[in-house]
Amino acid sequence: ALGSAVAMLGSYSFFNCTHLTSLEIPRSVGRINEGAFYACTGLSGVFFQGTPPGFGPDLFGGGTPATVYRLPGTDGWGTTYAGRPVVLWNPTLQSSSPDFGPAPDGFRLPLTGTPDIPISVNAAARLNALLWTPLYRGVLTNGAMTVIDPDWSSIPSRFYRVGPP
């Protein structure tokens, strides 16, 4: 993720970053200049936290395959952004589901959202932990799934977070 003080991405700022796979863009970013993600051939997802910033030409040029993900409640998005598809990113923990909570195979976390969006689910003993244990990294297949934490009972407290991969 970029810092929340970042207001703009300069021209070709990530040019040819072939190992960049995903990036979160904070709501503070108001402009992304020419070719910022040009030739980022490994970039599969760009996750925007706010409204769509202005952008320069060839933002995703050079074979960059990224999908643009937006959050619920953010205005101004169409079906494409700089020529790339825009998808609602809305994974939601279903804490009122009968499938939520302790079970013989572990603590169950049912999730729903837009089908096939990429997600990660992590666990930690403290909310301010620097190290979170990955429980799942992949896609929300068919828009619903249950992630299981098999180790939950061996830790005095457990916190979970759902985010982009």
Side-chain angles (χ1 to χ4, degrees), residues 90-97 99-101 107-113 119 121-122 135 140 143 145-148 159-163:
N90 62 347
T92 305
L93 180 63
Q94 300 299 312
S95 59
S96 61
S97 166
D99 198 31
F100 176 82
F107 197 90
R108 300 174 69 79
L109 303 158
L111 298 161
T112 60
I119 64 167
V121 179
N122 300 288
L135 297 176
L140 189 60
M145 69 181 306
T146 298
V147 174
I148 300 169
F159 296 91
Y160 300 97
R161 69 179 182 191
V162 178

Side-chain angles (χ1 to χ4, degrees), residues 24 45-49 67-74 86-92 112-121 138-140 161-165:
E24 291 179 56
V46 181
F47 297 82
F48 286 86
Q49 296 175 351
T67 297
V68 170
Y69 295 96
R70 68 170 185 87
L71 293 175
T74 54
V86 173
V87 175
L88 177 64
W89 193 81
N90 62 347
T92 305
T112 60
T114 303
D116 303 321
I117 56 173
I119 64 167
S120 65
V121 179
V139 297
L140 189 60
R161 69 179 182 191
V162 178

Side-chain angles (χ1 to χ4, degrees), residues 14-21 37-44 62 64-65:
F14 292 95
F15 176 77
N16 202 29
C17 284
T18 58
H19 296 292
L20 179 65
T21 58
F37 302 111
Y38 195 91
C40 293
T41 55
L43 184 61
S44 60
T64 301

